[in-house]
Amino acid sequence: MIRPKPESVEIVHQRRDAALRALVSGVPYIQFLGIEVERRGDELTAILPFDEKLIGNPMLPALHGGVTAAFLEVAAIIELSWSTLWEDVESGRIALSGLDSLHMPRLPKTIDFTLDYLRSGLPRDAYARARVNRSGRRYASVHVEAWQDNRARLFAQGTGHFLMPDRDLPDPADQARR
Amino acid sequence: MPDYDTMRVSDPERVKRAAQDFIEAIPHARACNMHIEQVGGGSAAISMPYDLRLVGDPRTGVVHGGAVSALMDTCCGAAVLSHPDGPSASATIDLRIDYMRAATPGQRIIARATCHHITRSVAFVRATAHDEEEDGPPVATATGAFTADRSPAAS
C-alpha cells in the first residue's frame, strides 16, 4: 500500500491560519473591540486584550457588561463558522486565495443570546472558548465560557441559538469554491 | 464622576444632564457615541449613531449584534439607576437578548428600557431596540436582572 506523503506542517498551518484570518480580520466590530483568535489544531481561543474603552464602570473599574456580551457572542459566531468552514478548507472545497472580507462564507445569524455574569470583569485581558452543542442544517446551539486570570473561575458564560446560513442560496464564498 | 443620585431628582433637565454626564463617564459608552434621549423614574432611552466601526457583516453593512447588546445593557443599567428605589451602582446578573431582524445600515439605533420591578437586592428590566423605522418591529428585545444592592461596595 502506498500512502500519500503527509502535507508539510507549514502548508497545513498556512491554510488553517488563512481561513481563520478571513473570518476574524474582515469584521470591523471584531477589530473595534480588539478581539484576537488563537488556534491550536481546530481549538480556538478568543482573546480580548484589555483596553480603556472597554470599561463600563470607571469606579471599580470593571469591563462593560455589554462588552462582555459582545465578546462572548463574537467568540460563539467564530467557533460556529469555523466548525463549518473547517471541513470545506481541509477538503480543499474552498480555495483560500479567493477568501477575503467580501467573499467570506455567509455568517450564522444570532437568534438569541443569554448571558450569565458570574463576577465582575477585571481591567485585564479576557479569554473565551465556545463549544457547538448542536449544529443542524437550520439551527445551532453554542455555549461559551469566558475567564481572565484563572480558567476555572469563569467571569461570564453564555448560550446562544443561531440560524445557519442557507446552503442552497448562492454564497459569495462559492466564487472561491472550486 | 457620574452623579447617580441626581438622576433621581425631579427636575427633568437636571436629570438628563446628570445622565449624560453619567454616560460620558463610561468609557465604552463614549467610544460608541451613546447619547441619553430620556431617563428617569425607572426608564431610559439611549441612542447610538450608525458607525462603520460597529459593522458585523462587511458585505451588508449591518451593525454587529454585540454592539446592539452593549447599547441595551447600558440602557437597562441606566433604567435601574434612575428608579426611585434604585441602587447607586448596579451590575448585570443576567441578560437575554432576542434578535428579531437586522438593523438597517446607516440608521441610528435607539434602546428603551424599563425597570419594571425592584426588590431589596434585584432589579428586573425589559428593553427594546429600534432603528429609525420606529413603527416597525424592534431590531431586538432584552430582559435582564441587575444587582440592586444599596451598599456602596455593591458589585
Side-chain angles (χ1 to χ4, degrees), chain A residues 54-113:
Chain A
L54 306 178
I55 290 284
N57 183 329
M59 291 191 285
L60 286 176
L63 289 182
H64 194 293
V67 168
T68 302
F71 177 49
L72 269 66
E73 194 181 325
V74 164
I77 293 175
I78 289 175
E79 180 67 40
L80 188 54
S81 309
W82 174 248
S83 64
T84 49
L85 188 60
W86 174 266
E87 280 180 35
D88 284 344
V89 166
E90 289 302 296
S91 66
R93 269 202 303 281
I94 287 188
L96 288 165
S97 51
L99 272 189
D100 56 38
S101 64
L102 295 176
H103 298 94
M104 276 193 307
R106 237 174 257 284
L107 296 173
K109 283 186 189 146
T110 313
I111 299 168
D112 61 62
F113 205 77

Tab-separated table of all heavy atoms in Angstrom, chain A residues 54-113:
chain	number	residue	atom	x	y	z
A	54	LEU	N	-13.026	49.643	26.898
A	54	LEU	CA	-13.895	48.509	27.201
A	54	LEU	C	-14.512	48.609	28.594
A	54	LEU	O	-15.311	47.765	29.004
A	54	LEU	CB	-13.097	47.198	27.089
A	54	LEU	CG	-12.363	46.970	25.768
A	54	LEU	CD1	-11.584	45.669	25.819
A	54	LEU	CD2	-13.336	46.962	24.597
A	55	ILE	N	-14.135	49.667	29.329
A	55	ILE	CA	-14.591	49.850	30.708
A	55	ILE	C	-16.055	50.286	30.746
A	55	ILE	O	-16.486	51.119	29.956
A	55	ILE	CB	-13.707	50.911	31.404
A	55	ILE	CG1	-12.303	50.359	31.644
A	55	ILE	CG2	-14.327	51.396	32.716
A	55	ILE	CD1	-12.188	49.380	32.776
A	56	GLY	N	-16.812	49.698	31.687
A	56	GLY	CA	-18.199	50.092	31.862
A	56	GLY	C	-18.435	50.789	33.187
A	56	GLY	O	-19.297	51.641	33.312
A	57	ASN	N	-17.662	50.419	34.195
A	57	ASN	CA	-17.755	51.073	35.497
A	57	ASN	C	-16.369	51.628	35.838
A	57	ASN	O	-15.466	50.885	36.211
A	57	ASN	CB	-18.213	50.078	36.561
A	57	ASN	CG	-18.403	50.731	37.915
A	57	ASN	OD1	-17.713	51.704	38.246
A	57	ASN	ND2	-19.322	50.214	38.693
A	58	PRO	N	-16.215	52.960	35.676
A	58	PRO	CA	-14.885	53.546	35.874
A	58	PRO	C	-14.464	53.562	37.334
A	58	PRO	O	-13.286	53.743	37.638
A	58	PRO	CB	-15.035	54.974	35.338
A	58	PRO	CG	-16.500	55.253	35.338
A	58	PRO	CD	-17.214	53.945	35.273
A	59	MET	N	-15.423	53.347	38.269
A	59	MET	CA	-15.059	53.442	39.684
A	59	MET	C	-14.471	52.156	40.233
A	59	MET	O	-13.637	52.194	41.109
A	59	MET	CB	-16.267	53.905	40.493
A	59	MET	CG	-16.584	55.366	40.158
A	59	MET	SD	-17.757	56.131	41.237
A	59	MET	CE	-19.254	55.392	40.691
A	60	LEU	N	-14.919	51.005	39.688
A	60	LEU	CA	-14.387	49.740	40.243
A	60	LEU	C	-12.915	49.516	39.900
A	60	LEU	O	-12.166	49.195	40.831
A	60	LEU	CB	-15.258	48.559	39.781
A	60	LEU	CG	-16.619	48.440	40.462
A	60	LEU	CD1	-17.435	47.295	39.861
A	60	LEU	CD2	-16.457	48.216	41.952
A	61	PRO	N	-12.398	49.631	38.707
A	61	PRO	CA	-13.099	49.644	37.423
A	61	PRO	C	-13.440	48.229	36.964
A	61	PRO	O	-12.830	47.286	37.402
A	61	PRO	CB	-12.055	50.260	36.495
A	61	PRO	CG	-10.738	49.887	37.081
A	61	PRO	CD	-10.944	49.686	38.564
A	62	ALA	N	-14.421	48.128	36.047
A	62	ALA	CA	-14.828	46.813	35.543
A	62	ALA	C	-15.145	46.905	34.057
A	62	ALA	O	-15.519	47.968	33.558
A	62	ALA	CB	-16.061	46.321	36.303
A	63	LEU	N	-14.991	45.777	33.367
A	63	LEU	CA	-15.372	45.703	31.951
A	63	LEU	C	-16.870	45.993	31.816
A	63	LEU	O	-17.657	45.634	32.693
A	63	LEU	CB	-15.103	44.306	31.389
A	63	LEU	CG	-13.653	43.872	31.184
A	63	LEU	CD1	-13.636	42.471	30.565
A	63	LEU	CD2	-12.900	44.849	30.296
A	64	HIS	N	-17.257	46.607	30.723
A	64	HIS	CA	-18.664	46.882	30.442
A	64	HIS	C	-19.398	45.556	30.209
A	64	HIS	O	-18.899	44.701	29.476
A	64	HIS	CB	-18.759	47.766	29.202
A	64	HIS	CG	-20.109	48.386	29.008
A	64	HIS	ND1	-21.222	47.641	28.719
A	64	HIS	CD2	-20.524	49.669	29.085
A	64	HIS	CE1	-22.266	48.452	28.617
A	64	HIS	NE2	-21.864	49.688	28.837
A	65	GLY	N	-20.561	45.407	30.851
A	65	GLY	CA	-21.337	44.181	30.673
A	65	GLY	C	-21.681	43.943	29.209
A	65	GLY	O	-21.746	42.807	28.744
A	66	GLY	N	-21.878	45.022	28.472
A	66	GLY	CA	-22.178	44.913	27.052
A	66	GLY	C	-20.983	44.435	26.248
A	66	GLY	O	-21.123	43.714	25.257
A	67	VAL	N	-19.784	44.828	26.699
A	67	VAL	CA	-18.561	44.365	26.036
A	67	VAL	C	-18.402	42.867	26.256
A	67	VAL	O	-18.086	42.112	25.332
A	67	VAL	CB	-17.321	45.121	26.577
A	67	VAL	CG1	-16.041	44.462	26.113
A	67	VAL	CG2	-17.356	46.583	26.153
A	68	THR	N	-18.664	42.436	27.495
A	68	THR	CA	-18.602	41.008	27.808
A	68	THR	C	-19.598	40.247	26.930
A	68	THR	O	-19.255	39.213	26.352
A	68	THR	CB	-18.924	40.790	29.304
A	68	THR	OG1	-17.976	41.537	30.074
A	68	THR	CG2	-18.839	39.327	29.682
A	69	ALA	N	-20.808	40.793	26.800
A	69	ALA	CA	-21.822	40.160	25.954
A	69	ALA	C	-21.332	40.051	24.519
A	69	ALA	O	-21.418	38.997	23.885
A	69	ALA	CB	-23.127	40.962	26.009
A	70	ALA	N	-20.785	41.149	24.010
A	70	ALA	CA	-20.315	41.182	22.627
A	70	ALA	C	-19.155	40.211	22.416
A	70	ALA	O	-19.092	39.489	21.416
A	70	ALA	CB	-19.886	42.603	22.263
A	71	PHE	N	-18.240	40.157	23.384
A	71	PHE	CA	-17.077	39.274	23.297
A	71	PHE	C	-17.526	37.813	23.205
A	71	PHE	O	-17.054	37.045	22.361
A	71	PHE	CB	-16.180	39.516	24.525
A	71	PHE	CG	-14.974	38.622	24.617
A	71	PHE	CD1	-14.126	38.455	23.525
A	71	PHE	CD2	-14.667	37.958	25.802
A	71	PHE	CE1	-13.006	37.633	23.617
A	71	PHE	CE2	-13.554	37.142	25.903
A	71	PHE	CZ	-12.723	36.973	24.805
A	72	LEU	N	-18.471	37.431	24.059
A	72	LEU	CA	-18.956	36.045	24.048
A	72	LEU	C	-19.705	35.727	22.761
A	72	LEU	O	-19.585	34.636	22.218
A	72	LEU	CB	-19.842	35.781	25.278
A	72	LEU	CG	-19.083	35.239	26.492
A	72	LEU	CD1	-18.117	36.236	27.059
A	72	LEU	CD2	-20.027	34.736	27.553
A	73	GLU	N	-20.468	36.709	22.272
A	73	GLU	CA	-21.220	36.466	21.037
A	73	GLU	C	-20.271	36.315	19.849
A	73	GLU	O	-20.449	35.427	19.007
A	73	GLU	CB	-22.214	37.608	20.801
A	73	GLU	CG	-23.244	37.242	19.749
A	73	GLU	CD	-24.236	38.355	19.478
A	73	GLU	OE1	-24.594	39.084	20.422
A	73	GLU	OE2	-24.639	38.497	18.309
A	74	VAL	N	-19.258	37.173	19.815
A	74	VAL	CA	-18.260	37.071	18.741
A	74	VAL	C	-17.566	35.705	18.802
A	74	VAL	O	-17.404	35.019	17.779
A	74	VAL	CB	-17.230	38.223	18.847
A	74	VAL	CG1	-15.993	37.938	18.011
A	74	VAL	CG2	-17.862	39.549	18.428
A	75	ALA	N	-17.174	35.290	20.009
A	75	ALA	CA	-16.482	34.004	20.169
A	75	ALA	C	-17.378	32.853	19.698
A	75	ALA	O	-16.904	31.913	19.045
A	75	ALA	CB	-16.080	33.805	21.631
A	76	ALA	N	-18.674	32.946	19.994
A	76	ALA	CA	-19.613	31.887	19.593
A	76	ALA	C	-19.756	31.836	18.074
A	76	ALA	O	-19.724	30.757	17.476
A	76	ALA	CB	-20.969	32.123	20.249
A	77	ILE	N	-19.902	33.002	17.450
A	77	ILE	CA	-20.096	33.041	15.994
A	77	ILE	C	-18.848	32.540	15.266
A	77	ILE	O	-18.939	31.785	14.292
A	77	ILE	CB	-20.463	34.466	15.521
A	77	ILE	CG1	-21.855	34.854	16.069
A	77	ILE	CG2	-20.448	34.568	13.994
A	77	ILE	CD1	-22.269	36.268	15.766
A	78	ILE	N	-17.671	32.936	15.779
A	78	ILE	CA	-16.436	32.496	15.120
A	78	ILE	C	-16.286	30.977	15.245
A	78	ILE	O	-15.953	30.292	14.278
A	78	ILE	CB	-15.210	33.232	15.700
A	78	ILE	CG1	-15.241	34.696	15.249
A	78	ILE	CG2	-13.908	32.564	15.241
A	78	ILE	CD1	-14.163	35.557	15.839
A	79	GLU	N	-16.554	30.449	16.430
A	79	GLU	CA	-16.434	28.994	16.624
A	79	GLU	C	-17.385	28.244	15.680
A	79	GLU	O	-17.005	27.265	15.036
A	79	GLU	CB	-16.755	28.642	18.085
A	79	GLU	CG	-16.670	27.157	18.402
A	79	GLU	CD	-15.257	26.611	18.311
A	79	GLU	OE1	-14.323	27.317	18.747
A	79	GLU	OE2	-15.086	25.491	17.800
A	80	LEU	N	-18.623	28.743	15.594
A	80	LEU	CA	-19.633	28.086	14.768
A	80	LEU	C	-19.264	28.165	13.281
A	80	LEU	O	-19.341	27.168	12.553
A	80	LEU	CB	-20.992	28.749	15.025
A	80	LEU	CG	-22.232	28.111	14.414
A	80	LEU	CD1	-22.347	26.650	14.804
A	80	LEU	CD2	-23.481	28.877	14.871
A	81	SER	N	-18.822	29.336	12.836
A	81	SER	CA	-18.418	29.480	11.433
A	81	SER	C	-17.202	28.620	11.144
A	81	SER	O	-17.091	27.996	10.096
A	81	SER	CB	-18.046	30.936	11.126
A	81	SER	OG	-19.040	31.802	11.551
A	82	TRP	N	-16.282	28.610	12.102
A	82	TRP	CA	-15.041	27.851	11.951
A	82	TRP	C	-15.329	26.369	11.816
A	82	TRP	O	-14.722	25.680	10.992
A	82	TRP	CB	-14.153	28.141	13.176
A	82	TRP	CG	-12.896	27.356	13.265
A	82	TRP	CD1	-12.594	26.395	14.182
A	82	TRP	CD2	-11.739	27.487	12.417
A	82	TRP	NE1	-11.338	25.913	13.963
A	82	TRP	CE2	-10.784	26.561	12.890
A	82	TRP	CE3	-11.427	28.275	11.315
A	82	TRP	CZ2	-9.541	26.411	12.299
A	82	TRP	CZ3	-10.191	28.119	10.723
A	82	TRP	CH2	-9.260	27.200	11.210
A	83	SER	N	-16.287	25.868	12.611
A	83	SER	CA	-16.567	24.433	12.582
A	83	SER	C	-17.151	24.020	11.232
A	83	SER	O	-16.937	22.893	10.794
A	83	SER	CB	-17.491	24.033	13.732
A	83	SER	OG	-18.745	24.648	13.587
A	84	THR	N	-17.880	24.936	10.570
A	84	THR	CA	-18.402	24.576	9.247
A	84	THR	C	-17.370	24.847	8.155
A	84	THR	O	-17.296	24.129	7.169
A	84	THR	CB	-19.703	25.336	8.928
A	84	THR	OG1	-19.503	26.721	9.188
A	84	THR	CG2	-20.853	24.847	9.773
A	85	LEU	N	-16.561	25.893	8.378
A	85	LEU	CA	-15.545	26.242	7.380
A	85	LEU	C	-14.425	25.195	7.335
A	85	LEU	O	-13.850	24.916	6.284
A	85	LEU	CB	-14.959	27.617	7.739
A	85	LEU	CG	-14.010	28.290	6.745
A	85	LEU	CD1	-14.706	28.532	5.423
A	85	LEU	CD2	-13.474	29.597	7.315
A	86	TRP	N	-14.138	24.632	8.517
A	86	TRP	CA	-13.015	23.686	8.673
A	86	TRP	C	-13.050	22.582	7.609
A	86	TRP	O	-12.054	22.344	6.920
A	86	TRP	CB	-13.067	23.092	10.082
A	86	TRP	CG	-12.076	22.005	10.359
A	86	TRP	CD1	-12.279	20.673	10.247
A	86	TRP	CD2	-10.720	22.183	10.809
A	86	TRP	NE1	-11.154	19.986	10.604
A	86	TRP	CE2	-10.166	20.875	10.939
A	86	TRP	CE3	-9.916	23.277	11.098
A	86	TRP	CZ2	-8.857	20.666	11.357
A	86	TRP	CZ3	-8.616	23.062	11.519
A	86	TRP	CH2	-8.104	21.775	11.637
A	87	GLU	N	-14.215	21.937	7.447
A	87	GLU	CA	-14.313	20.828	6.504
A	87	GLU	C	-14.078	21.293	5.075
A	87	GLU	O	-13.384	20.624	4.312
A	87	GLU	CB	-15.699	20.192	6.575
A	87	GLU	CG	-15.848	19.243	7.729
A	87	GLU	CD	-17.243	18.636	7.766
A	87	GLU	OE1	-17.799	18.400	6.673
A	87	GLU	OE2	-17.755	18.436	8.878
A	88	ASP	N	-14.670	22.451	4.743
A	88	ASP	CA	-14.514	22.977	3.391
A	88	ASP	C	-13.056	23.301	3.089
A	88	ASP	O	-12.569	23.111	1.976
A	88	ASP	CB	-15.360	24.247	3.213
A	88	ASP	CG	-16.837	23.909	3.046
A	88	ASP	OD1	-17.126	22.729	2.775
A	88	ASP	OD2	-17.663	24.821	3.192
A	89	VAL	N	-12.366	23.814	4.109
A	89	VAL	CA	-10.976	24.203	3.912
A	89	VAL	C	-10.080	22.967	3.852
A	89	VAL	O	-9.213	22.839	2.985
A	89	VAL	CB	-10.522	25.162	5.041
A	89	VAL	CG1	-9.015	25.312	5.053
A	89	VAL	CG2	-11.201	26.513	4.878
A	90	GLU	N	-10.323	22.020	4.769
A	90	GLU	CA	-9.473	20.832	4.824
A	90	GLU	C	-9.631	19.965	3.573
A	90	GLU	O	-8.698	19.345	3.114
A	90	GLU	CB	-9.783	20.011	6.079
A	90	GLU	CG	-9.310	20.677	7.358
A	90	GLU	CD	-7.810	20.957	7.362
A	90	GLU	OE1	-7.018	19.998	7.319
A	90	GLU	OE2	-7.429	22.142	7.381
A	91	SER	N	-10.850	19.935	3.030
A	91	SER	CA	-11.072	19.097	1.857
A	91	SER	C	-10.682	19.825	0.573
A	91	SER	O	-10.700	19.233	-0.500
A	91	SER	CB	-12.550	18.708	1.789
A	91	SER	OG	-13.324	19.874	1.558
A	92	GLY	N	-10.376	21.120	0.695
A	92	GLY	CA	-9.994	21.879	-0.485
A	92	GLY	C	-11.183	22.379	-1.284
A	92	GLY	O	-11.033	22.862	-2.405
A	93	ARG	N	-12.414	22.256	-0.711
A	93	ARG	CA	-13.583	22.759	-1.436
A	93	ARG	C	-13.554	24.278	-1.549
A	93	ARG	O	-14.129	24.857	-2.448
A	93	ARG	CB	-14.881	22.319	-0.726
A	93	ARG	CG	-15.423	20.995	-1.220
A	93	ARG	CD	-16.894	20.840	-0.919
A	93	ARG	NE	-17.187	20.966	0.506
A	93	ARG	CZ	-16.998	20.004	1.393
A	93	ARG	NH1	-16.528	18.834	1.004
A	93	ARG	NH2	-17.283	20.192	2.664
A	94	ILE	N	-12.901	24.936	-0.566
A	94	ILE	CA	-12.764	26.386	-0.644
A	94	ILE	C	-11.312	26.727	-0.939
A	94	ILE	O	-10.398	26.250	-0.266
A	94	ILE	CB	-13.203	27.051	0.687
A	94	ILE	CG1	-14.717	26.996	0.805
A	94	ILE	CG2	-12.723	28.489	0.750
A	94	ILE	CD1	-15.274	27.769	1.969
A	95	ALA	N	-11.130	27.499	-1.994
A	95	ALA	CA	-9.787	27.968	-2.330
A	95	ALA	C	-9.523	29.232	-1.528
A	95	ALA	O	-10.270	30.199	-1.613
A	95	ALA	CB	-9.689	28.259	-3.821
A	96	LEU	N	-8.472	29.182	-0.718
A	96	LEU	CA	-8.260	30.288	0.209
A	96	LEU	C	-7.837	31.573	-0.467
A	96	LEU	O	-8.027	32.656	0.067
A	96	LEU	CB	-7.229	29.874	1.250
A	96	LEU	CG	-7.830	28.862	2.211
A	96	LEU	CD1	-6.747	28.178	3.002
A	96	LEU	CD2	-8.819	29.549	3.129
A	97	SER	N	-7.281	31.445	-1.657
A	97	SER	CA	-6.811	32.657	-2.335
A	97	SER	C	-7.963	33.616	-2.593
A	97	SER	O	-7.783	34.826	-2.641
A	97	SER	CB	-6.124	32.290	-3.644
A	97	SER	OG	-6.984	31.438	-4.378
A	98	GLY	N	-9.190	33.066	-2.722
A	98	GLY	CA	-10.325	33.927	-3.032
A	98	GLY	C	-11.066	34.432	-1.802
A	98	GLY	O	-12.023	35.175	-1.920
A	99	LEU	N	-10.636	34.011	-0.609
A	99	LEU	CA	-11.359	34.395	0.610
A	99	LEU	C	-10.859	35.726	1.135
A	99	LEU	O	-9.716	35.853	1.521
A	99	LEU	CB	-11.146	33.343	1.698
A	99	LEU	CG	-12.080	32.156	1.776
A	99	LEU	CD1	-11.785	31.391	3.061
A	99	LEU	CD2	-13.529	32.556	1.725
A	100	ASP	N	-11.716	36.738	1.146
A	100	ASP	CA	-11.383	37.971	1.844
A	100	ASP	C	-12.666	38.458	2.506
A	100	ASP	O	-13.670	37.737	2.530
A	100	ASP	CB	-10.796	39.022	0.887
A	100	ASP	CG	-11.736	39.307	-0.268
A	100	ASP	OD1	-12.949	39.337	-0.041
A	100	ASP	OD2	-11.254	39.490	-1.406
A	101	SER	N	-12.646	39.682	3.038
A	101	SER	CA	-13.786	40.103	3.850
A	101	SER	C	-15.069	40.194	3.038
A	101	SER	O	-16.158	40.111	3.578
A	101	SER	CB	-13.487	41.434	4.524
A	101	SER	OG	-13.313	42.427	3.543
A	102	LEU	N	-14.964	40.365	1.720
A	102	LEU	CA	-16.173	40.457	0.899
A	102	LEU	C	-16.555	39.114	0.276
A	102	LEU	O	-17.610	38.983	-0.321
A	102	LEU	CB	-16.005	41.519	-0.188
A	102	LEU	CG	-15.867	42.948	0.345
A	102	LEU	CD1	-15.613	43.925	-0.776
A	102	LEU	CD2	-17.092	43.370	1.141
A	103	HIS	N	-15.692	38.134	0.407
A	103	HIS	CA	-16.006	36.808	-0.126
A	103	HIS	C	-15.918	35.761	0.970
A	103	HIS	O	-15.443	34.650	0.747
A	103	HIS	CB	-15.074	36.456	-1.290
A	103	HIS	CG	-15.210	37.390	-2.442
A	103	HIS	ND1	-14.392	38.484	-2.591
A	103	HIS	CD2	-16.086	37.426	-3.456
A	103	HIS	CE1	-14.766	39.143	-3.688
A	103	HIS	NE2	-15.794	38.534	-4.228
A	104	MET	N	-16.361	36.149	2.176
A	104	MET	CA	-16.390	35.199	3.271
A	104	MET	C	-17.622	34.328	3.114
A	104	MET	O	-18.602	34.753	2.507
A	104	MET	CB	-16.531	35.941	4.593
A	104	MET	CG	-15.238	36.445	5.140
A	104	MET	SD	-15.504	36.939	6.838
A	104	MET	CE	-16.884	38.038	6.719
A	105	PRO	N	-17.569	33.136	3.685
A	105	PRO	CA	-18.810	32.369	3.727
A	105	PRO	C	-19.828	33.175	4.528
A	105	PRO	O	-19.446	33.931	5.416
A	105	PRO	CB	-18.426	31.105	4.492
A	105	PRO	CG	-16.942	31.061	4.483
A	105	PRO	CD	-16.465	32.456	4.355
A	106	ARG	N	-21.095	33.034	4.178
A	106	ARG	CA	-22.154	33.702	4.926
A	106	ARG	C	-22.076	33.304	6.399
A	106	ARG	O	-21.860	32.141	6.723
A	106	ARG	CB	-23.502	33.262	4.361
A	106	ARG	CG	-24.362	34.367	3.879
A	106	ARG	CD	-25.593	33.788	3.225
A	106	ARG	NE	-25.490	33.841	1.769
A	106	ARG	CZ	-25.661	34.953	1.057
A	106	ARG	NH1	-25.935	36.082	1.659
A	106	ARG	NH2	-25.551	34.935	-0.253
A	107	LEU	N	-22.265	34.286	7.307
A	107	LEU	CA	-22.136	34.006	8.738
A	107	LEU	C	-23.489	33.588	9.324
A	107	LEU	O	-24.534	33.987	8.824
A	107	LEU	CB	-21.637	35.259	9.467
A	107	LEU	CG	-20.235	35.727	9.073
A	107	LEU	CD1	-19.919	37.054	9.738
A	107	LEU	CD2	-19.200	34.686	9.452
A	108	PRO	N	-23.448	32.770	10.393
A	108	PRO	CA	-24.698	32.443	11.083
A	108	PRO	C	-25.295	33.713	11.684
A	108	PRO	O	-24.566	34.638	12.029
A	108	PRO	CB	-24.255	31.489	12.203
A	108	PRO	CG	-22.831	31.171	11.955
A	108	PRO	CD	-22.266	32.193	11.045
A	109	LYS	N	-26.625	33.735	11.800
A	109	LYS	CA	-27.288	34.891	12.414
A	109	LYS	C	-27.718	34.533	13.825
A	109	LYS	O	-28.269	33.447	14.047
A	109	LYS	CB	-28.543	35.261	11.611
A	109	LYS	CG	-28.245	35.999	10.339
A	109	LYS	CD	-29.551	36.445	9.692
A	109	LYS	CE	-29.308	36.995	8.308
A	109	LYS	NZ	-30.423	36.682	7.407
A	110	THR	N	-27.504	35.455	14.761
A	110	THR	CA	-27.903	35.195	16.140
A	110	THR	C	-29.421	35.276	16.264
A	110	THR	O	-30.023	36.253	15.822
A	110	THR	CB	-27.269	36.217	17.100
A	110	THR	OG1	-25.887	36.352	16.787
A	110	THR	CG2	-27.417	35.766	18.548
A	111	ILE	N	-30.029	34.246	16.838
A	111	ILE	CA	-31.463	34.273	17.134
A	111	ILE	C	-31.650	34.854	18.538
A	111	ILE	O	-32.423	35.773	18.750
A	111	ILE	CB	-32.066	32.853	17.062
A	111	ILE	CG1	-31.891	32.270	15.657
A	111	ILE	CG2	-33.538	32.881	17.474
A	111	ILE	CD1	-32.182	30.772	15.583
A	112	ASP	N	-30.932	34.271	19.490
A	112	ASP	CA	-30.962	34.814	20.852
A	112	ASP	C	-29.660	34.481	21.551
A	112	ASP	O	-28.912	33.594	21.113
A	112	ASP	CB	-32.162	34.254	21.635
A	112	ASP	CG	-32.111	32.749	21.761
A	112	ASP	OD1	-31.160	32.229	22.358
A	112	ASP	OD2	-33.020	32.078	21.237
A	113	PHE	N	-29.392	35.224	22.600
A	113	PHE	CA	-28.160	35.019	23.359
A	113	PHE	C	-28.455	35.302	24.824
A	113	PHE	O	-29.049	36.324	25.149
A	113	PHE	CB	-27.060	35.955	22.832
A	113	PHE	CG	-25.682	35.441	23.102
A	113	PHE	CD1	-25.153	34.418	22.325
A	113	PHE	CD2	-24.922	35.954	24.141
A	113	PHE	CE1	-23.888	33.912	22.585
A	113	PHE	CE2	-23.647	35.453	24.400
A	113	PHE	CZ	-23.130	34.439	23.621
